[in-house]
Amino acid sequence: MPKRATKASDNVVYQARMEAAKWNDRLGSREGASEVTGLDRTRIAYIELGTVTPYPEEILILAEYYNTPELCNDYCSRQCPIGCRTMDALEIKELEAATLQLLSAIRSLPEITDSLVDIVEDGQIDEDEQETMESILYRLRQAANKIKALELVYEKRVRLHKEVGRGPQQ
């Protein structure tokens, strides 16, 4: 059983490593994670403690070895200067919940489509149509986020079971 680091306990990278340690004992320590990932143990500590901003390449490596594709979304939506402006943080759920949320969002698409056609049929977005357009774009972003969340859950589940000796199905 790995020793829990209290200073890093709220950090998503630390939480991802601890979750991965359930199926790979070597990830239970920073030293073991360093050996597995090839990243410096001290660098991993600094990332987990939040004293440095990780490089995108480090997040890619950790996401791969920890089987947590959601680390990439977290990094891009919260730490990357460009991603912070262009991406939403996703809430990752179980496959069934992610699917039901997506289906719920899809149900409203016909209504959105009709409104969108009404707005753009004259080739312009009039001032009185702007609020409706903003609402449509918001709902489309929400649906896109549900799609991406479902993709991440699926990716995590498939990768987890393709490799021998990895933990139980999530």
Coordinates of all heavy atoms in Angstrom, one line a residue, residues 58-95:
E58 N 5.3 16.0 -20.6 CA 5.2 15.3 -19.3 C 3.8 14.8 -19.1 O 3.6 13.7 -18.6 CB 5.7 16.2 -18.2 CG 7.2 16.5 -18.3 CD 7.7 17.6 -17.3 OE1 6.9 18.5 -17.0 OE2 8.8 17.5 -16.8
I59 N 2.8 15.7 -19.3 CA 1.5 15.3 -19.1 C 1.1 14.1 -20.0 O 0.4 13.1 -19.6 CB 0.5 16.5 -19.3 CG1 0.7 17.5 -18.2 CG2 -1.0 16.0 -19.4 CD1 0.4 17.0 -16.8
L60 N 1.6 14.2 -21.3 CA 1.3 13.1 -22.2 C 1.9 11.8 -21.7 O 1.2 10.7 -21.8 CB 1.9 13.4 -23.6 CG 1.1 14.4 -24.4 CD1 1.9 14.9 -25.6 CD2 -0.3 13.9 -24.8
I61 N 3.1 11.8 -21.2 CA 3.8 10.6 -20.7 C 3.0 10.1 -19.5 O 2.7 8.9 -19.4 CB 5.2 10.9 -20.3 CG1 6.1 11.1 -21.6 CG2 5.8 9.8 -19.4 CD1 7.4 11.7 -21.3
L62 N 2.7 11.0 -18.5 CA 2.0 10.5 -17.3 C 0.6 10.0 -17.6 O 0.1 9.0 -17.1 CB 1.9 11.7 -16.3 CG 3.2 12.1 -15.8 CD1 3.1 13.4 -14.9 CD2 3.9 11.0 -15.0
A63 N -0.1 10.7 -18.5 CA -1.5 10.2 -18.9 C -1.4 8.8 -19.5 O -2.2 7.9 -19.3 CB -2.1 11.2 -19.9
E64 N -0.4 8.6 -20.3 CA -0.2 7.2 -21.0 C 0.1 6.2 -19.9 O -0.6 5.1 -19.9 CB 0.9 7.3 -22.0 CG 1.3 6.0 -22.6 CD 0.2 5.5 -23.6 OE1 -0.5 6.3 -24.1 OE2 0.2 4.3 -23.8
Y65 N 1.1 6.4 -19.1 CA 1.5 5.4 -18.1 C 0.5 5.2 -17.0 O 0.4 4.1 -16.4 CB 2.9 5.7 -17.5 CG 4.0 5.3 -18.5 CD1 4.6 6.3 -19.3 CD2 4.4 4.0 -18.7 CE1 5.6 6.0 -20.2 CE2 5.4 3.7 -19.6 CZ 6.0 4.7 -20.3 OH 7.0 4.3 -21.3
Y66 N -0.2 6.2 -16.6 CA -1.2 6.1 -15.6 C -2.6 5.7 -16.1 O -3.5 5.5 -15.3 CB -1.4 7.5 -14.8 CG -0.1 7.9 -14.1 CD1 -0.2 9.2 -13.5 CD2 1.0 7.2 -13.9 CE1 0.9 9.7 -12.8 CE2 2.1 7.7 -13.2 CZ 2.1 8.9 -12.7 OH 3.2 9.4 -12.0
N67 N -2.7 5.6 -17.4 CA -4.0 5.4 -18.1 C -5.1 6.4 -17.6 O -6.2 6.0 -17.2 CB -4.5 3.9 -17.8 CG -5.6 3.6 -18.7 OD1 -5.7 4.0 -19.8 ND2 -6.6 2.8 -18.2
T68 N -4.7 7.6 -17.7 CA -5.6 8.7 -17.4 C -5.7 9.7 -18.5 O -5.1 10.8 -18.3 CB -5.3 9.3 -16.0 OG1 -3.9 9.7 -16.1 CG2 -5.5 8.4 -14.9
P69 N -6.4 9.5 -19.6 CA -6.4 10.4 -20.6 C -7.0 11.8 -20.2 O -6.7 12.8 -20.8 CB -7.3 9.8 -21.7 CG -8.0 8.7 -21.0 CD -7.2 8.3 -19.8
E70 N -7.8 11.8 -19.1 CA -8.4 13.0 -18.6 C -7.3 14.0 -18.1 O -7.6 15.2 -17.9 CB -9.4 12.7 -17.5 CG -8.9 12.0 -16.3 CD -9.0 10.5 -16.3 OE1 -8.9 9.9 -17.4 OE2 -9.0 9.9 -15.3
L71 N -6.1 13.5 -17.8 CA -5.0 14.4 -17.4 C -4.7 15.4 -18.5 O -4.4 16.6 -18.2 CB -3.7 13.7 -17.1 CG -3.6 13.0 -15.7 CD1 -2.2 12.3 -15.6 CD2 -3.8 14.0 -14.6
C72 N -4.8 15.0 -19.7 CA -4.6 15.9 -20.9 C -5.6 17.0 -20.9 O -5.3 18.2 -21.1 CB -4.6 15.1 -22.2 SG -3.2 14.0 -22.3
N73 N -6.9 16.6 -20.7 CA -8.0 17.6 -20.7 C -7.8 18.6 -19.5 O -7.9 19.8 -19.6 CB -9.3 17.0 -20.6 CG -10.4 18.0 -20.4 OD1 -10.9 18.2 -19.3 ND2 -10.8 18.7 -21.5
D74 N -7.4 18.0 -18.3 CA -7.2 18.9 -17.2 C -6.1 19.9 -17.4 O -6.2 21.1 -17.1 CB -6.9 18.0 -15.9 CG -6.8 18.9 -14.7 OD1 -7.8 19.2 -14.1 OD2 -5.6 19.2 -14.3
Y75 N -5.0 19.4 -18.0 CA -3.9 20.3 -18.3 C -4.3 21.4 -19.3 O -4.0 22.6 -19.0 CB -2.7 19.5 -18.8 CG -1.5 20.4 -19.3 CD1 -0.6 20.9 -18.4 CD2 -1.4 20.8 -20.6 CE1 0.4 21.7 -18.8 CE2 -0.4 21.6 -21.0 CZ 0.5 22.1 -20.1 OH 1.5 22.9 -20.5
C76 N -4.9 21.0 -20.4 CA -5.2 21.9 -21.4 C -6.3 22.9 -20.9 O -6.2 24.1 -21.3 CB -5.7 21.2 -22.6 SG -4.4 20.3 -23.5
S77 N -7.2 22.5 -20.2 CA -8.3 23.4 -19.8 C -8.0 24.3 -18.5 O -8.6 25.3 -18.3 CB -9.6 22.6 -19.5 OG -9.4 21.8 -18.4
R78 N -6.9 23.9 -17.8 CA -6.6 24.6 -16.6 C -5.2 25.3 -16.5 O -5.0 26.2 -15.8 CB -6.8 23.7 -15.3 CG -8.2 23.2 -15.2 CD -8.2 22.2 -14.0 NE -9.4 21.4 -14.0 CZ -10.6 21.7 -13.5 NH1 -10.8 22.9 -13.0 NH2 -11.6 20.8 -13.5
Q79 N -4.3 24.7 -17.3 CA -2.9 25.2 -17.1 C -2.3 25.8 -18.4 O -1.5 26.6 -18.3 CB -2.0 24.0 -16.6 CG -2.4 23.6 -15.2 CD -1.5 22.5 -14.7 OE1 -0.4 22.2 -15.2 NE2 -1.9 21.8 -13.7
C80 N -2.7 25.3 -19.5 CA -2.2 25.7 -20.8 C -2.8 27.1 -21.1 O -4.0 27.2 -21.1 CB -2.5 24.8 -21.9 SG -2.1 25.4 -23.6
P81 N -2.0 28.1 -21.4 CA -2.5 29.5 -21.7 C -3.5 29.5 -22.8 O -4.5 30.2 -22.8 CB -1.3 30.3 -22.0 CG -0.1 29.5 -21.5 CD -0.5 28.1 -21.5
I82 N -3.3 28.7 -23.9 CA -4.2 28.7 -25.0 C -5.4 27.8 -24.7 O -6.6 28.2 -24.9 CB -3.5 28.2 -26.3 CG1 -2.4 29.1 -26.7 CG2 -4.5 28.0 -27.4 CD1 -1.5 28.6 -27.8
G83 N -5.2 26.7 -24.1 CA -6.3 25.8 -23.8 C -7.3 26.4 -22.8 O -8.5 26.2 -22.9
C84 N -6.8 27.2 -21.8 CA -7.6 27.8 -20.9 C -8.7 28.7 -21.5 O -9.8 28.9 -21.0 CB -6.8 28.7 -19.9 SG -5.9 27.7 -18.7
R85 N -8.3 29.2 -22.7 CA -9.2 30.1 -23.4 C -10.1 29.4 -24.4 O -11.1 29.9 -24.9 CB -8.4 31.2 -24.2 CG -7.6 32.1 -23.3 CD -6.8 33.1 -24.0 NE -7.7 34.0 -24.6 CZ -7.3 35.0 -25.5 NH1 -6.0 35.1 -25.7 NH2 -8.1 35.8 -26.0
T86 N -9.8 28.1 -24.7 CA -10.5 27.5 -25.8 C -11.1 26.1 -25.4 O -11.9 25.6 -26.2 CB -9.5 27.2 -27.0 OG1 -8.5 26.3 -26.5 CG2 -9.0 28.4 -27.6
M87 N -10.8 25.6 -24.2 CA -11.3 24.3 -23.8 C -12.0 24.4 -22.5 O -11.7 25.1 -21.6 CB -10.2 23.3 -23.7 CG -9.5 22.9 -24.9 SD -8.3 21.6 -24.6 CE -9.4 20.2 -24.4
D88 N -13.0 23.5 -22.3 CA -13.7 23.4 -21.1 C -13.2 22.2 -20.3 O -12.8 21.2 -21.0 CB -15.2 23.2 -21.3 CG -15.9 24.4 -21.8 OD1 -15.5 25.5 -21.6 OD2 -16.9 24.2 -22.6
A89 N -13.1 22.3 -19.0 CA -12.7 21.1 -18.2 C -13.9 20.1 -18.3 O -15.0 20.5 -18.2 CB -12.5 21.5 -16.8
L90 N -13.5 18.9 -18.5 CA -14.6 17.9 -18.6 C -14.7 17.1 -17.3 O -13.8 16.9 -16.6 CB -14.2 16.9 -19.7 CG -14.0 17.4 -21.1 CD1 -13.6 16.3 -22.0 CD2 -15.3 18.0 -21.6
E91 N -16.0 16.7 -17.0 CA -16.2 15.9 -15.8 C -16.3 14.5 -16.3 O -17.2 14.1 -17.1 CB -17.5 16.3 -15.2 CG -17.8 15.6 -13.9 CD -19.1 16.1 -13.2 OE1 -19.6 17.1 -13.6 OE2 -19.6 15.3 -12.4
I92 N -15.4 13.7 -15.9 CA -15.3 12.3 -16.4 C -16.2 11.4 -15.4 O -16.0 11.4 -14.2 CB -13.9 11.8 -16.4 CG1 -13.0 12.7 -17.2 CG2 -13.8 10.4 -16.9 CD1 -13.4 13.0 -18.6
K93 N -17.1 10.7 -16.0 CA -18.0 9.8 -15.3 C -17.8 8.4 -15.8 O -17.0 8.1 -16.6 CB -19.4 10.3 -15.5 CG -19.6 11.7 -15.0 CD -21.1 12.1 -15.2 CE -21.3 13.5 -14.8 NZ -21.7 13.7 -13.5
E94 N -18.6 7.5 -15.2 CA -18.7 6.1 -15.7 C -19.3 6.1 -17.1 O -20.0 7.0 -17.5 CB -19.5 5.3 -14.7 CG -18.9 5.1 -13.3 CD -17.6 4.4 -13.3 OE1 -17.4 3.5 -14.1 OE2 -16.7 4.9 -12.6
L95 N -19.0 5.0 -17.8 CA -19.5 4.9 -19.2 C -21.0 5.1 -19.3 O -21.4 5.8 -20.2 CB -19.0 3.5 -19.7 CG -19.4 3.2 -21.2 CD1 -18.8 4.2 -22.1 CD2 -19.1 1.8 -21.5

